[in-house]
Amino acid sequence: MKGLYTALMCSFDEQGNVNEKGLREIVRYNIEVSEVDGLYVNGSTGENFLISTEQKKQIFEIVKDEVGDQVKLIAQVGSLNIEEASDLAKFVTDLGYDAISAVTPFYYKFDFEEIKDYYNTILEGVDTQLIIYSIPALTGVNMNLEQFGELFENEKIIGVKFTAPDFFLLERLRHAFPDKLIYSGFDEMLLSASVLNVDGAIGSTFNVNGKRAKQIFTLAQGGKIDEAREIQKVTNDLIEEILNNGLYQTIKEMLKTQGVNAGFVRKPMKQLTEERAIKARELAKKYL
Ligand code: NGF
């Protein structure tokens, strides 16, 4: 399960329906061009929190059907509706996904006992392994070392997708839990996280920048820090432009220049203006 995973985009049509052909093209591009080790399906980048349960299932099915056993698949099933999360966990396990992941429950201020119960409930009666999805900037949920340790006591919880700039906590986690899988979540911090010996990374920009990300990770693992830093610099030039222009929209527009029908974003996200679309195409020309 180690390595680089693309946080997969989904292609939607103008009405917000899943565009099956476009989704299959995004999957193929990631496998054949970006050459990532796996896909993280229905995460933030997949606009998961904007779609229905039926659409989530549709996407899980299409991706598994397109991938087969070519690369590893992690299914993000976390939801504020715990029955939905449990149902999706069973659904993807039956489909043959390699692991599940679940975002920490957000919006309401859940205490740690509630968070722990959420994970244990999702895993009840389902024969799979789970990766915690920790993204405090979006969820407001900050867990400390001891709390991660308590969650990790459940042997089915095999790791964490760590999307935070807290490198002190990341180092402490790595040191305390050498046998758990730690994935870096911020692509602009991949080199720094790799130096701390993470097992892999999961990122949105890998949809278009997967090759550079792989180089950063591999070079860092081999101790070639100067070379890795050069590539992280180019990567961050790109990420800075993408973030300024509109994250998911810009990645979609860049994919379109490569013949991949990445479609539209779902409301309430707004589409790119023509000016920003032109900028995205320029970025594709320069970086892809
Ligand atoms: O998109 C976000 C929101 N974070 C992603 C990634 O952590 C999300 C990150 O790649 C993800 O894995 C998922 O889709 O579930 C950033 O987009 C990237 O580093 C640019 O900041 O924070």
Side-chain angles (χ1 to χ4, degrees), residues 21-232:
K21 187 167 175 291
L23 175 56
R24 287 181 186 273
E25 287 173 9
I26 297 173
V27 169
R28 292 252 63 80
Y29 188 83
N30 271 291
I31 296 176
E32 285 158 18
V33 181
S34 297
E35 294 179 353
V36 291
D37 303 304
L39 303 175
Y40 187 84
V41 186
N42 280 340
S44 315
T45 310
E47 299 169 60
N48 173 74
F49 304 104
L50 307 178
I51 61 178
S52 68
T53 310
E54 288 64 39
Q55 288 176 314
K56 291 176 191 180
K57 289 185 173 176
Q58 190 188 359
I59 293 165
F60 284 136
E61 276 179 330
I62 294 168
V63 174
K64 179 62 188 171
D65 182 63
E66 188 61 39
V67 170
D69 294 321
Q70 277 189 281
V71 296
K72 296 282 183 194
L73 288 176
I74 301 174
Q76 198 297 121
V77 301
S79 168
L80 283 187
N81 180 322
I82 200 152
E83 282 85 18
E84 185 196 43
S86 294
D87 177 40
L88 290 175
K90 292 185 182 71
F91 185 78
V92 295
T93 304
D94 291 346
L95 279 179
Y97 273 67
D98 297 286
I100 61 170
S101 179
V103 69
T104 51
F106 52 93
Y107 190 75
Y108 301 101
K109 301 282 176 213
F110 299 104
D111 68 24
F112 180 66
E113 283 313 305
E114 291 167 326
I115 294 173
K116 195 169 149 185
D117 181 60
Y118 163 87
Y119 282 111
N120 292 336
T121 303
I122 291 173
L123 279 166
E124 249 165 43
V126 56
D127 186 19
T128 189
Q129 300 178 314
L130 181 142
I131 293 149
I132 300 161
Y133 180 7
S134 177
I135 180 160
L138 294 185
T139 59
V141 179
N142 278 287
M143 291 192 293
N144 62 32
L145 186 67
E146 289 69 34
Q147 290 171 330
F148 276 109
E150 249 194 79
L151 293 180
F152 285 153
E153 279 169 18
N154 183 336
E155 283 180 5
K156 287 167 140 184
I157 301 186
I158 57 166
V160 57
K161 166 163 140 48
F162 187 90
T163 308
D166 186 344
F167 286 91
F168 181 31
L169 178 57
L170 180 58
E171 189 280 332
R172 292 290 80 192
L173 279 168
R174 177 70 300 167
H175 176 75
F177 306 108
D179 299 331
K180 296 291 181 182
L181 290 167
I182 303 180
Y183 300 94
S184 164
F186 274 130
D187 316 350
E188 51 277 45
M189 301 173 197
L190 176 58
L191 172 57
S192 316
S194 303
V195 169
L196 291 179
N197 215 12
V198 293
D199 300 291
I202 299 169
S204 65
T205 62
F206 303 170
N207 281 283
V208 287
N209 195 51
K211 274 195 175 157
R212 284 195 193 89
K214 189 78 175 264
Q215 285 172 330
I216 294 167
F217 187 59
T218 309
L219 286 167
Q221 283 185 319
K224 296 181 176 168
I225 304 301
D226 287 343
E227 286 170 62
R229 191 166 40 230
E230 282 303 307
I231 302 169
Q232 183 74 68

Side-chain angles (χ1 to χ4, degrees), residues 228-246:
R229 191 166 40 230
E230 282 303 307
I231 302 169
Q232 183 74 68
K233 190 252 165 215
V234 178
T235 288
N236 286 2
D237 289 344
L238 170 61
I239 292 177
E240 193 172 34
E241 300 260 32
I242 289 177
L243 290 174
N244 287 338
N245 204 53

